[in-house]
Amino acid sequence: MAPLSTRLLIQRGRPKSNRLGKIRSLDLSGLNLLSEDLDHTLLGRLKQLQELDLSDNQLETLPADLGLPHLHVLHCANNQLSDVTHLCQFPQLEELSLEGNPFLTVSDSLKVTFLLPELRKFNGKDASTTRSKAESLNRELTTRVATHWKKFMAALSPEEQAQAQADFVKSAVRNIRYGPVSLSEFTQWRVRMISEELVASGGTHTREADMPEGSHKATATQQPRARPVALRRPGDTLLSLSPQKRMCTSLLAPVEGSLVGSDSSQLEPLHFLQCHSKNNSPSDLKTQLWACAFEPAWDEGQAGAASQTVATCGGEAVCVIDCQTGIVLHKYKVPGEEFFSVAWTALTVVTQTGHKKRWNVLAAAGLRGLVRLLHVQAGFCCGLIRGHRKAIATLCFSPTHETHLFTASYDKRIILWDIGTPNQDYEFQASHLLTLDTTSTPLRLCPVPPCPDTYLLAGCEGGCCCWDVRLDQPQKKRVCEVEFVFSEGSKVSGQRVDGLAFVNEDVVASKGSSLGTICLWSWSQTWQGRGSQPTVAVVVLAWLQWSPTILAYFSLSTCPDKGLVLCGDEQGSVWIYDVRPLLAQRSPPQTAPQAPTQILKWPQPQAMGQTVTKTMVNTVVANPAFTYLTALTDSNIVAIWRRGEP
């Protein structure tokens, strides 16, 4: 593309004029412009410009001084932007579009609300929602900076205090942490600004935020934060909590005592959210929530790595929630869809400029039989997989191949896909690797930890089955290799398995085959005794006592690093089992089922008011460090608990 010229600007400007100073609207979209093509000397002559369209170019940044003081509308969609700080040069901007810039994150969206005080519309939506998030975070950060200032200065003598104020900013940025990792860029940016303001005032004054006046109007009806059930912004509609309901936390006490060992600390309720409600209606207590999954930690594999961001699905929406603050970071809606399952993977992609970027991609699927691949940080769908004739019940990524995705459908097929890595347009092109036929609907999928590239376990309506998934075998369409049964001495199959997860490399937890219990069995011992039989009885290690309900489809989960099994029930309770002592025993399995280590009780009707009288917890998931636990109910409530300090 040749550099911009006066002639080009006049051709693309409106109203038609032979003078640049008369142009009010300019369309420079689709010209493959680079950042260096934006000549600030030339563009600075557009003294009356109010609307500028730079969409569909190759811009990596905006020049620092374009000299457009009256700009009200700016479109920069579908570029390569990675920073928004230069937007502060447009203080009168009211409408901004940044969609399709894959390197911009939710942190950049929050920064925009501070940089543009007059902004009313952002990416086609009301900017007050994003501003409300930023204000909530900013209040907490301001408090933490002030607290850090007191501690920092208390440790110094008066002489040292005068010299150490500059060091305070570095200390605050280094030590103050709040919110999810995905917002760390924003929080550190704001901590630096707040700290510098505090130092400039000599430690006597900290404003909550340099927020636009309109932001306070937008959140004027927001209630003050209440502990331990925190209220959130109106856009992320919370369960309508009466004063009595806020006192319900005493009911959430353990039945069998606190968790043992290093985890001997109490779980406290933190948030109850209704973020999947139709039209954000607080009266919607019917939308069914189906599945949730914690985002991979950015520093996973390092000591102390723990994710606090969880994806939930139900109804026509997928939500990504920060467990610490209760803020809904992203919400993806598809009218007419009903999402049944979500799964995360972490990809490393190479940009056009050769830089490596880490993407956490979220796969979501449901009633329509389609898989949507969501680039969560950038906020758009970058891939669509069609391969099933009926609804998709569940999906999961391979633990060893970040691009391999299993999808299980009501069409009685499990398909292994390679989603690949996104092309230069940030789109996925998935390829079909394997088809696994089932005799009944698959409900849960588990790659076998010791050999995830060899075997896949599935809990199905008709039992628990296993397939050979090696890609070096010629058959691309395969049937179940072996079916597992749970009654000793019995070869009778056909018992539903609606809960399935590995506790560690060998021990499997499964539910549904026996009323009121969860079975712990050994994969290795069962497989060794298989021989060539198509049906094999599992080697039971222990039974866990669970609800005697005849209802099905309560999904169990595990926390392998902590040796925990978790499952909800029809009374709204969460059953937690620490199975490490049980598995350490070398004696034969006990005949009596093992009682749970702890039960979290849902608030009773008299404490909950009239809004919710009964609820079922059908899905429970904890993050690997077991610092946060998320439970989903059949009454459209996302409940989040946090583990306190021992």
Side-chain angles (χ1 to χ4, degrees):
M1 174 67 200
L4 295 180
S5 64
T6 301
R7 181 180 179 182
L8 179 65
L9 299 190
I10 290 176
Q11 287 177 344
R12 287 183 165 246
R14 296 290 184 275
K16 285 297 184 180
S17 172
N18 58 0
R19 296 176 58 185
L20 294 181
K22 297 291 185 179
I23 294 176
R24 294 179 178 272
S25 176
L26 180 61
D27 182 3
L28 296 178
S29 62
L31 297 177
N32 290 321
L33 293 174
L34 302 177
S35 299
E36 52 266 30
D37 293 327
L38 299 182
D39 184 349
H40 65 88
T41 302
L42 179 61
L43 294 174
R45 295 166 59 188
L46 300 165
K47 297 300 183 182
Q48 300 301 318
L49 191 68
Q50 296 183 4
E51 182 173 354
L52 176 61
D53 191 348
L54 294 170
S55 302
D56 301 304
N57 285 297
Q58 300 295 321
L59 304 178
E60 295 185 358
T61 186
L62 292 175
D65 186 9
L66 288 177
L68 303 173
H70 301 293
L71 196 66
H72 290 275
V73 179
L74 176 62
H75 300 291
C76 287
N78 303 319
N79 278 281
Q80 305 291 314
L81 297 176
S82 58
D83 181 53
V84 297
T85 53
H86 288 164
L87 290 172
C88 64
Q89 66 185 294
F90 309 123
Q92 303 302 315
L93 205 63
E94 297 180 357
E95 183 174 338
L96 174 66
S97 174
L98 295 175
E99 293 176 307
N101 285 276
F103 304 125
L104 294 182
T105 69
V106 66
S107 286
D108 296 298
S109 299
L110 296 175
K111 286 181 182 180
V112 163
T113 63
F114 284 90
L115 298 170
L116 303 173
E118 300 299 325
L119 192 66
R120 298 291 177 264
K121 185 176 288 188
F122 181 46
N123 289 339
K125 299 178 181 179
D126 186 350
S128 63
T129 297
T130 303
R131 185 174 285 117
S132 178
K133 290 182 185 179
E135 188 180 40
S136 176
L137 287 168
N138 194 79
R139 284 196 298 269
E140 181 69 27
L141 293 174
T142 301
T143 300
R144 295 191 179 209
V145 170
T147 302
H148 188 69
W149 170 269
K150 293 177 181 178
K151 293 181 179 179
F152 185 84
M153 290 301 174
L156 303 175
S157 65
E159 296 78 13
E160 292 173 324
Q161 288 181 7
Q163 301 175 355
Q165 290 188 1
D167 295 332
F168 168 73
V169 176
K170 296 179 181 178
S171 175
V173 172
R174 182 174 60 252
N175 293 295
I176 295 176
R177 295 287 182 267
Y178 183 67
V181 175
S182 60
L183 292 183
S184 60
E185 183 186 352
F186 170 78
T187 56
Q188 291 181 20
W189 180 72
R190 278 303 298 155
V191 165
R192 179 177 297 278
M193 294 172 68
I194 297 168
S195 301
E196 289 174 346
E197 178 187 313
L198 186 60
V199 169
S201 69
T204 61
H205 178 60
T206 51
R207 290 173 295 174
E208 276 199 356
D210 298 324
M211 291 294 291
E213 210 172 296
S215 68
H216 299 288
K217 296 177 183 177
T219 58
T221 59
Q222 188 171 356
Q223 300 183 39
R225 184 167 180 156
R227 283 289 186 176
V229 182
L231 300 185
R232 293 295 97 200
R233 59 184 177 85
D236 302 331
T237 311
L238 286 151
L239 185 62
S240 182
L241 298 175
S242 64
Q244 293 81 10
K245 197 180 296 185
R246 295 189 196 114
M247 299 299 293
C248 70
T249 57
S250 61
L251 299 169
L252 292 157
V255 170
E256 297 291 337
S258 298
L259 293 177
V260 299
S262 61
D263 301 313
S264 56
S265 52
Q266 186 67 31
L267 284 161
E268 58 176 358
L270 200 58
H271 308 289
F272 295 92
L273 307 173
Q274 272 184 286
C275 48
H276 291 265
S277 299
K278 293 180 179 178
N279 301 317
N280 284 332
S281 171
S283 62
D284 176 13
L285 298 175
K286 295 182 179 180
T287 295
Q288 175 72 64
L289 307 185
W290 292 104
C292 58
F294 275 89
E295 181 178 17
W298 285 80
D299 53 353
E300 202 154 275
Q302 301 180 15
S307 171
Q308 62 183 46
T309 306
V310 67
T312 61
C313 70
E316 61 184 15
V318 174
C319 294
V320 179
I321 304 167
D322 171 38
C323 291
Q324 184 180 36
T325 64
I327 290 176
V328 178
L329 302 174
H330 307 276
K331 188 171 184 178
Y332 180 78
K333 295 177 67 174
V334 179
E337 176 67 279
E338 183 172 7
F339 287 104
F340 293 154
S341 186
V342 287
W344 292 93
T345 189
L347 302 180
T348 300
V349 299
V350 180
T351 69
Q352 293 177 346
T353 57
H355 296 101
K356 289 186 177 180
K357 293 279 186 177
R358 187 181 188 272
W359 277 16
N360 279 353
V361 175
L362 181 65
L367 185 64
R368 294 185 176 180
L370 304 174
V371 180
R372 289 175 168 84
L373 301 174
L374 309 179
H375 183 345
V376 174
Q377 285 189 311
F380 62 86
C381 178
C382 49
L384 193 65
I385 301 175
R386 296 178 173 86
H388 290 284
R389 297 186 296 270
K390 294 185 178 181
I392 293 175
T394 188
L395 43 75
C396 75
F397 280 96
S398 164
T400 53
H401 296 283
E402 61 186 20
T403 63
H404 286 190
L405 173 67
F406 291 97
T407 60
S409 170
Y410 285 85
D411 63 12
K412 299 181 182 179
R413 293 189 304 160
I414 301 171
I415 297 179
L416 173 59
W417 308 88
D418 186 346
I419 66 171
T421 53
N423 58 24
Q424 62 181 6
D425 295 321
Y426 307 102
E427 298 173 342
F428 286 91
Q429 297 294 329
S431 57
H432 186 157
L433 301 179
L434 281 179
T435 297
L436 310 175
D437 288 332
T438 69
T439 57
S440 61
T441 303
L443 304 173
R444 309 286 177 240
L445 299 178
C446 284
V448 177
C451 45
D453 299 330
T454 304
Y455 294 113
L456 175 74
L457 274 182
C460 305
E461 285 285 358
C464 183
C465 301
C466 178
W467 288 264
D468 185 334
V469 293
R470 288 175 292 178
L471 295 177
D472 58 358
Q473 302 299 304
Q475 300 86 0
K476 299 306 178 185
K477 188 173 183 179
R478 303 173 190 177
V479 297
C480 170
E481 185 164 323
V482 61
E483 183 174 356
F484 300 108
V485 294
F486 296 86
S487 299
E488 187 173 354
S490 170
K491 299 299 179 183
V492 178
S493 60
Q495 297 172 308
R496 178 192 298 117
V497 174
D498 56 10
L500 189 70
F502 275 83
V503 182
N504 54 35
E505 290 284 303
D506 179 56
V507 178
V508 187
S510 60
K511 182 185 71 66
S513 58
S514 181
L515 188 65
T517 59
I518 295 171
C519 180
L520 300 182
W521 53 282
S522 168
W523 159 264
S524 61
Q525 295 180 47
T526 301
W527 195 254
Q528 288 172 4
R530 172 208 171 193
S532 58
Q533 303 174 60
T535 304
V536 180
V538 301
V539 177
V540 176
L541 302 177
W543 294 94
L544 305 178
Q545 176 190 346
W546 183 64
S547 169
T549 179
I550 60 173
L551 300 176
Y553 310 118
F554 295 94
S555 176
L556 67 78
S557 67
T558 60
C559 194
D561 291 346
K562 303 297 181 181
L564 300 176
V565 178
L566 309 103
C567 192
D569 71 8
E570 81 288 358
Q571 298 296 328
S573 300
V574 176
W575 300 60
I576 304 176
Y577 310 82
D578 185 344
V579 299
R580 289 172 295 185
L582 195 62
L583 298 178
Q585 299 176 3
R586 298 191 178 277
S587 56
Q590 301 176 3
T591 54
Q594 178 74 25
T597 311
Q598 185 179 19
I599 297 180
L600 300 181
K601 290 286 188 181
W602 192 263
Q604 299 299 317
Q606 60 268 27
M608 289 288 288
Q610 300 301 314
T611 307
V612 179
T613 58
K614 187 176 181 181
T615 191
M616 295 191 294
V617 174
N618 48 45
T619 300
V620 183
V621 175
N623 66 343
F626 196 57
T627 50
Y628 291 98
L629 181 150
T630 300
L632 306 183
T633 74
D634 68 333
S635 54
N636 188 27
I637 301 170
V638 179
I640 299 174
W641 280 269
R642 177 176 62 189
R643 181 165 62 91
E645 294 298 324

